Amino acid sequence: MLNEASAADRTSAQGLITLFTSVGQLTSSALIGAVAASMGGGVKGYGTAYMVIGIVAGIMVILTLGLKNRQQELSMIENAQPVSTTH
């Protein structure tokens, strides 16, 4: 994913990926807790929460089919224009 950003912007891109990952972890744990609690907690609540996690994971797997494969990624890197060091 970082190869999509120019060389000058890769540090910022890495920081944004880290930030979004952290926010996603906090948000998803709160949502799963809310689903479990709204279903009464216990086995039923956590069973429903795991079902929601499974559905979201399935959707994410389907979405990954649209990503570039390794060969496409390598050809993009080879064809990339070098970034000028003077702005």
Side-chain angles (χ1 to χ4, degrees):
M1 286 176 48
L2 291 177
N3 290 326
E4 296 293 328
S6 67
D9 294 331
R10 284 198 186 127
T11 304
S12 298
Q14 180 66 52
L16 282 174
I17 290 171
T18 303
L19 179 67
F20 289 148
T21 301
S22 298
V23 169
Q25 288 175 344
L26 289 170
T27 305
S28 62
S29 61
L31 288 173
I32 294 304
V35 168
S38 70
M39 296 304 288
V43 174
K44 181 181 178 191
Y46 284 99
T48 304
Y50 274 104
M51 185 176 64
V52 169
I53 292 170
I55 292 169
V56 171
I59 292 169
M60 290 173 66
V61 167
I62 292 169
L63 290 174
T64 62
L65 298 175
L67 294 174
K68 294 177 187 173
N69 63 28
R70 177 131 175 96
Q71 191 174 35
Q72 291 170 328
E73 185 71 23
L74 291 175
S75 70
M76 187 199 75
I77 292 170
E78 290 173 0
N79 296 332
Q81 298 288 333
V83 176
S84 172
T85 57
T86 59
H87 293 284

